[in-house]
Amino acid sequence: MATVHAEPYEFEFDLATTALMIIDMQRDFVEPGGFGEALGNDVSLLRKAIAPTKRVLDATRKRGLFVIHTREGHRQDLSDLPESKRLRGRLKTGIGDKGPMGRILVRGEHGHDLIDELKPAAGEPVVDKPGKGAFHATDLDAMLHHRRVRQLIVCGVTTEVCVNTTVREANDRGYDCLVLEDCVGSYFPEFQVAALAMIKAQGGIFGWVSDSTRFLEALNKA
Ligand code: TIU
């Protein structure tokens, strides 16, 4: 067992039953010129998470942890896109439309894919999810179950949307989650703070929060 000095208290994990999950580090969310920026967001707030996440990814790969990547997006024919989601925001250019990096949030398009800095290695599954949460309509739970995973180290974007939803879904399924605060990002600094506070509130209702350096220290000692 390894111990991370986390909030609200120590997070314990076993290398054999722990996976790293990197959520939606897709070009359309984090690269200049993508969908996120076209909506008026400052992508540098998300890009801050890239370097620390890369350090964590390299270290966990070295220790042989199971690594999973997710991407939010839809089938080419949009048959898995709920009308409510398509209409939301009343955007001039929305999901499925031609955006700056190909059709927005459509699988196979350039903008939908993961950024080069955090490309999956051979053997690391990529979960294509149509929702915000990574468990909804995916085989993620089955994969974690087959690998006997019980704890998840979570990185990615955005903290208050896909990260929060996934951590809540994971929590209900019996996984303990440690969210690395410098490895998650939001377009809204106030949401970043609130989303992390919610995860660790009242004894860690949804999980634990730690700096990635503390996690790396624990990993090195394990
Ligand atoms: N990955 C993810 O969080 N998708 C979003 O839609 N995020 C927003 O902040 N909207």
Side-chain angles (χ1 to χ4, degrees):
M1 273 291 189
T3 303
V4 185
H5 296 291
E7 293 175 47
Y9 56 89
E10 288 74 26
F11 174 82
E12 302 215 313
F13 68 101
D14 184 338
L15 294 189
T17 58
T18 301
L20 172 69
M21 186 172 333
I22 305 182
I23 297 179
D24 299 2
M25 291 299 280
Q26 295 161 252
R27 296 193 180 103
D28 256 333
F29 293 132
V30 306
E31 286 202 345
F35 177 49
E37 193 176 75
L39 292 175
N41 296 302
D42 174 4
V43 292
S44 71
L45 293 164
L46 267 51
R47 298 187 65 76
K48 283 195 291 195
I50 298 173
T53 301
K54 180 82 173 89
R55 277 194 291 278
V56 168
L57 177 60
D58 290 343
T60 50
R61 276 176 179 158
K62 262 194 206 132
R63 298 305 303 269
L65 264 68
F66 187 39
V67 177
I68 295 171
H69 307 258
T70 73
R71 297 184 295 204
E72 179 178 351
H74 297 275
R75 293 169 181 262
Q76 292 274 340
D77 63 7
L78 304 183
S79 55
D80 59 352
L81 174 63
E83 190 65 353
S84 55
K85 184 176 179 183
R86 191 182 69 77
L87 294 175
R88 202 164 302 147
R90 298 183 175 176
L91 303 174
K92 221 172 87 208
T93 311
I95 298 173
D97 295 334
K98 178 119 190 60
M101 293 185 178
R103 291 179 70 205
I104 293 166
L105 295 191
V106 170
R107 294 175 197 158
E109 300 290 332
H110 186 70
H112 167 266
D113 206 359
L114 301 171
I115 58 172
D116 291 336
E117 296 93 320
L118 299 171
K119 274 272 171 279
E124 293 174 357
V126 176
V127 172
D128 277 318
K129 62 189 187 62
K132 305 301 181 193
F135 290 90
H136 168 69
T138 72
D139 55 4
L140 173 62
D141 197 38
M143 278 195 286
L144 296 175
H145 179 79
H146 299 325
R147 296 286 295 242
R148 310 234 185 305
V149 171
R150 300 301 337 141
Q151 292 119 338
L152 298 171
I153 310 299
V154 183
C155 302
V157 297
T158 63
T159 317
E160 77 279 16
V161 184
C162 293
V163 171
N164 239 270
T165 308
T166 299
V167 166
R168 287 166 195 236
E169 289 182 321
N171 185 66
D172 281 343
R173 287 169 166 80
Y175 301 98
D176 277 335
C177 294
L178 174 69
V179 176
L180 303 180
E181 61 179 305
D182 48 332
C183 298
V184 293
S186 169
Y187 297 124
F188 306 96
E190 68 274 27
F191 290 173
Q192 170 82 358
V193 173
L196 292 170
M198 279 186 234
I199 289 167
K200 65 189 179 190
Q202 301 187 47
I205 290 180
F206 300 118
W208 284 255
V209 173
S210 162
D211 189 276
S212 67
T213 329
R214 291 186 167 189
F215 168 67
L216 291 174
E217 278 167 17
L219 187 69
N220 287 336
K221 275 196 238 154

